[in-house]
Amino acid sequence: MPKVILHKGGEVFEGEVDPNTNLVVRAGIKKFPFPNLAYKCGMGKCSTCTCRILRGGDHLEAPNWKEKRQLGEKLEEGYRLACQLWVSEDIELTQDL
């Protein structure tokens, strides 16, 4: 099972998720990383769930058009929309906005 490490507000939250998991969907049903992951719409429209991938980004699908529209040049800095990511391997991310 993929291990997820979330850095936020100077704290570190760790948990495991099933393969092919969306973290915003899990947070929406009150499972890890709830309540520590900031999110809102879950559809790539608001960018509330923006995070920076620290490790494991090479296992993610390429950014889709929603991420390109919302994040633009920030994609090059490792930022992604958590609502658009499906986690199948270990990942470490931060919400440092």
Side-chain angles (χ1 to χ4, degrees):
M1 298 215 322
K3 180 179 180 180
V4 177
I5 302 172
L6 172 64
H7 299 262
K8 186 167 181 186
E11 295 186 67
V12 179
F13 307 95
E14 296 185 32
E16 290 186 342
V17 297
D18 290 331
N20 202 29
T21 291
N22 180 284
L23 299 179
V24 170
V25 170
R26 282 186 58 93
I29 59 173
K30 310 287 192 260
K31 293 188 176 184
F32 177 80
F34 176 83
N36 305 301
L37 183 73
Y39 67 96
K40 194 171 184 180
C41 78
M43 298 181 289
K45 293 182 178 182
C46 73
S47 70
T48 301
C49 65
T50 299
C51 58
R52 187 168 45 94
I53 307 300
L54 302 175
R55 188 177 53 84
D58 50 328
H59 298 290
L60 298 172
E61 294 288 325
N64 63 26
W65 66 271
K66 293 177 182 182
E67 291 182 283
K68 290 176 183 176
R69 181 187 68 211
Q70 291 292 342
L71 301 174
E73 294 179 10
K74 285 188 159 244
L75 287 168
E76 296 172 21
E77 299 171 28
Y79 286 88
R80 301 291 300 266
L81 297 178
C83 69
Q84 300 300 300
L85 304 179
W86 294 91
V87 177
S88 294
E89 301 286 337
D90 292 353
I91 191 166
E92 185 171 359
L93 52 102
T94 182
Q95 280 193 320
D96 55 3
L97 302 175

